[in-house]
Amino acid sequence: MFSESSKEEKIALILVDIQNDFLENGSLAVADSFSILKPVNDLIRQIKERNGLIVATQDWHPKDHISFASNHSDKKVFETKEIEYDGVKTSQVMWPDHCVQNSFGAEISKEIHAADIDVIVRKGMNRGVDSYSAFADNNYSEITSLAKVLYQHHIDTVFVVGLAADYCVKLTCLDAIKFGFKTILVKECTKPVSPDQLEATLSELKSKGVIIV
């Protein structure tokens, strides 16, 4: 996973949304998600040994978030609805309530040691637009602090892990490429919402320049 040249590279590990609501027993649980925790912690240790930066992202929604099915009387969970924000129309998946600010479900899993995390980047705080990527909301109306943090630390390469492979991890990888980072997705450290879409997701990521290991 780590090439000889990586000794000279500045590296960061992005832990995408490893939060209670996305783990098994959560309100938007990803199947078999507990299985990523050990390899993620092993990877954290390896990155730390190479003086890498550990960044955790945190979905941090208000109760009235646009993506919650509970806020749309005409829609059920997992249906889609056309929404408009800032003049842009998009198709929005209606999710169960999840990662509501200051709730247990929004907390980063205690299996990830807080002392290992250097920076936490919160996303999804704007009620009117969803935010899968750790870099920006889905419309690019607002940019998070992530790119700035990585640039300030002179990061060359980002390793991406977390939940879920076909949504927030995927969009974070694609944006990491856009922002100019060598981007590596660690397959054993992520799980998808829809397992039947995983291979298509990985193929798309490869086609955009993401390295899968």
Side-chain angles (χ1 to χ4, degrees):
M1 185 185 304
F2 299 100
S3 64
E4 285 300 311
S5 62
S6 69
K7 293 179 181 179
E8 307 300 323
E9 292 174 340
K10 291 276 192 174
I11 60 176
L13 175 61
I14 303 175
L15 309 171
V16 178
D17 298 357
I18 306 180
Q19 296 166 259
N20 294 325
D21 271 345
F22 295 128
L23 289 163
E24 293 167 56
N25 304 318
S27 66
L28 185 45
V30 175
D32 197 29
S33 48
F34 284 158
S35 71
I36 76 168
L37 295 173
K38 184 183 184 302
V40 164
N41 277 315
D42 290 345
L43 186 56
I44 288 172
R45 188 180 67 254
Q46 293 175 64
I47 297 289
K48 285 283 190 183
E49 288 172 352
R50 290 165 173 77
N51 298 313
L53 182 73
I54 309 295
V55 181
T57 76
Q58 193 174 24
D59 240 14
W60 196 250
H61 295 310
K63 291 180 180 178
D64 61 347
H65 196 258
I66 194 76
S67 74
F68 293 172
S70 62
N71 292 322
H72 301 269
S73 59
D74 59 333
K75 292 293 179 181
K76 296 178 181 179
V77 171
F78 301 125
E79 292 182 345
T80 58
K81 182 175 182 176
E82 185 179 84
I83 63 168
E84 183 173 342
Y85 179 78
D86 207 18
V88 179
K89 292 182 179 180
T90 56
S91 178
Q92 173 67 53
V93 177
M94 297 288 102
W95 300 111
D97 290 19
H98 63 279
C99 299
V100 174
Q101 295 171 7
N102 300 307
S103 69
F104 172 77
E107 293 177 9
I108 294 170
S109 171
K110 292 293 191 291
E111 296 299 317
I112 306 298
H113 302 298
D116 289 332
I117 299 171
D118 298 307
V119 181
I120 293 176
V121 173
R122 287 175 171 169
K123 62 189 182 70
M125 294 174 283
N126 184 334
R127 69 157 301 278
V129 62
D130 215 349
S131 187
Y132 295 154
S133 170
F135 287 90
D137 67 46
N138 292 1
N139 289 6
Y140 295 97
S141 297
E142 296 176 7
I143 305 296
T144 72
S145 61
L146 180 54
K148 179 180 178 181
V149 167
L150 297 175
Y151 291 144
Q152 286 177 331
H153 286 83
H154 308 290
I155 298 300
D156 303 300
T157 299
V158 296
F159 292 80
V160 183
V161 302
L163 302 167
D166 45 346
Y167 284 94
C168 297
V169 169
K170 172 185 172 181
L171 272 296
T172 297
C173 285
L174 292 174
D175 275 351
I177 292 287
K178 292 176 184 176
F179 278 89
F181 300 102
K182 179 181 177 182
T183 304
I184 301 171
L185 172 63
V186 184
K187 189 176 177 181
E188 73 169 336
C189 295
T190 187
K191 293 291 179 182
V193 171
S194 302
D196 61 338
Q197 293 299 310
L198 180 59
E199 289 309 315
T201 295
L202 296 179
S203 293
E204 180 181 352
L205 292 175
K206 287 179 184 177
S207 74
K208 300 295 185 181
V210 177
I211 299 166
I212 313 291
V213 297

